[in-house]
Amino acid sequence: MIVADQKPIEEILEILAPYKRVLFLGCQSCVAVCMAGGEKEVGLLAAAVRLARAKSGAPIEIAEGAAKRQCDDEFNEPFGPVIQQQEAVLSLACGVGVNKLAERFAIPILPALNTRFFGKVERQGIWKEVCAGCGDCILHLTGGICPIARCAKNLLNGPCGGVRADGTCEVKRDWPCAWVQIIQRLEELGQLERLLSTRMAAKDWSSDRHGGPRRRVREDMLLEA
Amino acid sequence: MESNLQRALEAKRFAITAECGPPKSADRKVIEEKAQLLKDWVDSVNVTDNQTAVTRMSSLAACTILKSLNLDPVFQLTCRDRNRIALQSDILGAHALGIRNILCLTGDHHSAGNHPQAKGVFDLDSVHLIETVRKMRDEGLFLSGDKLEGERPMVFIGAVENPFALPYEFRALRLKKKIEAGAQFIQTQIVYNIARFREFMARAGDLGLLDRVYILAGVSPIKTPGAAKYMRDNVPGMDVPNEIVARMESAGKGLEDKKARAQAWRQEGIRICVEIVQQLREIQGVAGVHIMAIEWEEAVPEIVTQAGLKAP
Ligand code: SF4
Ligand code: SF4
C-alpha cells in the first residue's frame, strides 16, 4: 500500500490560512488503512482545524467527505457539486489523489499528507518500505526481498562492510541488513549458490524515476480516438 | 607500468600504503605537509573520497597534488556522490592526470555525514565500479558498451573487503566476486582481531583467491583508550577485542600528568599496531599493510621502523 503521514497541524493551518470555506476530502484506500487520510482522520483533522481557527479569531467552514479511491475520477465526481462551492480542497489522499483532483477542478487543491512510500505493516503502528517501484523487478533473484528499497545504498552485490554485529544495517539502526536477510532467505530456499556464482549487473535505472516521468501504455486497451 | 604499488607487489616486496585525508578547506599546503611526512616511508598513499560523507577537498585534486610531489596516489572513488557518467569521467581524468591506482568503493552513506539532506546517488555499487574500470581499461568500452576513443585509463584496480562484518562466511565469497570483476589489490578493514582475519584468509585460500589478488591488511594505531572503546562499541563493521581496549587502558594507569599519559597511550597504540603488523606478515597471502593513521601521519614512520619493514 501507499504509506503516508499527516503533515503537522501547524503546517496544515499555514497552508489553509488564506481560505475560509474548504472541503476536507479523504480517501478510503491505502491512506485509510495506514490511518493517515481515511474518513476517520478527516473528521479528527476537521475538528482540530475548526477549533484552532475559531480560537485564532478566523473561523473556517469545513465540509467533510472521503472518496472511495481519490486516484480515480469516477469516485471524485460525486463531490463535484460540493467542490464548486469551496475556495479550496484539502486532500487527505496520497499525492496521486491530490494531482488527480488538481487536474479535474479549477480551485486550489492542497495536500494534507506527506506521501512516503510503498510499504507493508511491520506490526501494529509500524510501516516499512519494501518496494521502490523501480520498474524492473529483480525479486526472483533476491528471495523476494528488495535490495533497492530495503538496502540504504541499494547495493546489488551486498552486503557492504558496515553490517553491525547484530545483523542490523550500518545506516539504519534497528533495521535488519537487507542483504543479510537475502542471504538467509536464499539459503532456506536452497538457492544461495546462484547468488554466489553470479555478479548482479549494474541496474538499468531508465525504468525507474531516473528515466524521467513514467507512463504505462496498453495498446490493446486504447479506445479509438 | 607506472603504478609504484603494482611494481612493489609484483616484485613480491611487502608493500606499505598509508592514507591521506584531504582537508575541509581549499588549502593545498595540508596535502603537501602530509606528503612530506609520508613520502619516504610508503609505496603509495590512498586519498579518501569525502570520507564518512563529510565534504572535503576532492580526492582527485588531492591525488594530483601528491602526484606532483612524486608520490604514487591511490585515488579512492566512491559511488555515493557520482552516477556512472561522473564516475567514468573521473576515471578518464585520473589517468590523464597521471594517477595509476584507483580504489573502488561504494562509500559511506551520507546520512551520517555533514550533509544528511543530500540526495544519495548509489547508481552503481563497488562491484559494478570495479567492472567498469576494468572494461574501460581492458576492452576500451564504457559501461554502456559505447567505445572509448583513443587512450585508455591504465590503472591498477583496487577494492576493499571487511572480514569483520556479518555474514563472516560470505566475506571471502564477496572478495571472489570483486576479484572476478577485476580487482587486482585489496585493502582490508582495520585488523585488530587477528584470529578472525586468519579465518578469512584461510577461506580465501580455499577458494584459490590468494594467487589472484594482492591483499594489503588494514592497520591503524590507536591514540587513546576512549578511541578504542568508541571503535569497539560504535563503529559498524569494526571488531576491536576487549583485550586491546584493556591494554590501552592500563597503559595510562597511574600517570597523573596529562601529557605523559597521552604519550604513554600513543606509545602503546603504536606498540599494538606493530605487533599486529608482525603477526600479519606471517599470514600466508598478506602482501602488504595499509596503515591508516588518520590525522596522525607521524606514526607511520615509527610503525614501519619498529615493525622492521623495509621502506621503499
Ligand atoms: S526490484 Fe524494483 S519493482 Fe521489485 S520490489 Fe524492488 S523496487 Fe519494487
Ligand atoms: S548494512 Fe546492509 S542494508 Fe545497510 S547499507 Fe549495508 S548492505 Fe545495505
Side-chain angles (χ1 to χ4, degrees), chain B residues 22-35:
Chain B
K24 272 173 95 173
S25 77
D27 186 357
R28 69 175 280 144
K29 281 202 298 298
V30 177
I31 306 289
E32 290 168 352
E33 281 160 14
K34 291 186 182 185

Side-chain angles (χ1 to χ4, degrees), chain A residues 118 130-139 142 144-150 203 205 208:
Chain A
F118 305 152
V130 286
C131 166
C134 76
D136 182 12
C137 197
I138 54 163
L139 287 180
T142 58
I145 296 167
C146 175
I148 310 297
R150 297 166 74 166
K203 198 165 169 62
W205 293 109
D208 183 271

Side-chain angles (χ1 to χ4, degrees), chain B residues 223-235:
Chain B
K223 261 188 195 163
T224 63
K229 269 188 245 160
Y230 183 83
M231 283 192 288
R232 180 192 63 192
D233 302 333
N234 296 309
V235 182

